[in-house]
Amino acid sequence: MLTITPIPAFDDNYVWLFRNPGGQVAAVVDPGDGEPVLEYLKVHGLELGAVLVTHHHGDHTGGVRDLLRVFPGIPVFGPARESIPVVTRALREGDRVRVPGVDAEFTVMDVPGHTAGHIAFYGEDALFCGDTLFTAGCGRVFDGTAVDLFRSLSRIAALPAKTRIYCAHEYTLDNLGFAKWVEPDNAALLEREKHDRASRASDRPTVPSLLALELETNPFLRADVPQVIEAAQNHAGRPLQGGAEVFAAVRSWKDREYD
Ligand SMILES: [Zn+2]
């Protein structure tokens, strides 16, 4: 069992810290900034046992060196298919990750799309997915492709519905605004917005969310739903064949017109 805590960084990033309940050793995922992590560790009297990174972007890796200065020699787990100089344990699909001092095991999933070598860590009913799947949205396509991202999201969608989604940004309310463009009549979506607005109004994170909720409300996991297909086709002005085309049309709709 794990205690998983968000450490806010920059404007809207979350660095996820996990440890066993009462444990003295923690690990962090995607520390774009080291300072708030070091502060948290100090306040709570914790040691850092490892760093996990999902992809090469600076807001996910920029704090690793600062952490290594204080905790030299700890393993830094990251994707084998991306060039990240601070990574000491290069990981591929199916690899297992164990953090020294933390009783938990994660399995690596290759989830390219946002970036070409992006990985996610799955275990303990949790998914640390970086910028691949967001709450009510998904990452933009940078050095991967939309087809890659669609496949990656489809694999995530097939995980157990009780999986908690620990993405790296607080984007939910903004994403829900676009989701309503695609599915204005989705009752679960409107209900979610009410709930998440209340959370943000009292400064609570909306992350993690449950995969079950994402499947009901996230347009990027719903490319096979008739209303999503219809909205995407109406917007594209042409018939779309299959999930990947529907997904790519919704992704470019949001890129061009929403944010
Ligand atoms: Zn990114």
Side-chain angles (χ1 to χ4, degrees):
M1 211 183 135
L2 289 178
T3 299
I4 307 179
T5 310
I7 300 175
F10 310 119
D11 287 341
D12 52 31
N13 284 68
Y14 290 129
V15 178
W16 292 104
L17 178 145
F18 64 82
R19 59 181 163 133
N20 298 123
Q24 293 304 297
V25 180
V28 288
V29 185
D30 285 353
D33 190 358
E35 198 214 332
V37 174
L38 291 171
E39 179 64 22
Y40 187 94
L41 294 168
K42 195 170 141 192
V43 166
H44 293 85
L46 300 172
E47 276 181 49
L48 192 63
V51 175
L52 286 62
V53 298
T54 60
H55 67 294
H56 67 84
H57 286 161
D59 64 322
H60 298 252
T61 59
V64 177
R65 283 188 200 284
D66 283 349
L67 298 176
L68 291 175
R69 262 193 283 277
V70 181
F71 299 98
I74 61 170
V76 180
F77 298 96
R81 295 190 300 146
E82 297 197 347
S83 169
I84 306 174
V86 288
V87 167
T88 60
R89 307 279 183 90
L91 303 171
R92 296 175 184 281
E93 172 75 25
D95 284 346
R96 301 290 173 96
V97 172
R98 292 195 73 87
V99 174
V102 179
D103 181 21
E105 186 175 79
F106 294 92
T107 303
V108 174
M109 293 174 71
D110 277 334
V111 287
H114 173 68
T115 61
H118 200 304
I119 59 171
F121 300 91
Y122 172 66
E124 310 291 322
D125 293 332
L127 181 74
F128 296 104
C129 54
D131 291 351
T132 299
L133 177 63
F134 286 131
T135 43
C138 73
R140 282 171 180 263
V141 176
F142 283 101
D143 43 302
T145 70
V147 172
D148 284 343
L149 187 53
F150 174 71
R151 286 200 191 114
S152 297
L153 293 174
S154 301
R155 293 188 58 213
I156 291 173
L159 293 173
K162 65 178 178 180
T163 304
R164 292 185 306 278
I165 304 300
Y166 291 88
C167 59
H169 289 272
E170 177 62 64
Y171 286 161
T172 315
L173 292 186
D174 192 52
N175 286 336
L176 288 169
F178 176 73
K180 287 198 299 183
W181 285 14
V182 182
E183 290 190 278
D185 303 321
N186 180 336
L189 179 55
L190 302 176
E191 194 53 42
R192 179 178 189 178
E193 191 183 34
K194 240 187 272 173
H195 177 269
D196 286 346
R197 268 193 198 292
S199 295
R200 295 308 293 148
S202 48
D203 210 27
R204 275 177 285 133
T206 61
V207 189
S209 76
L210 262 190
L211 180 57
L213 180 64
E214 296 305 325
L215 294 171
E216 287 183 348
T217 56
N218 187 328
F220 296 102
L221 297 181
R222 292 169 60 79
D224 58 343
V225 171
Q227 194 178 2
V228 174
I229 297 169
E230 195 188 328
Q233 291 188 145
N234 286 344
H235 185 263
R238 64 187 172 87
L240 300 168
Q241 301 300 327
E245 273 198 24
V246 172
F247 169 80
V250 175
R251 185 61 264 180
S252 80
W253 180 6
K254 184 166 190 277
D255 288 343
R256 287 179 196 179
E257 294 181 30
Y258 187 77
D259 55 17

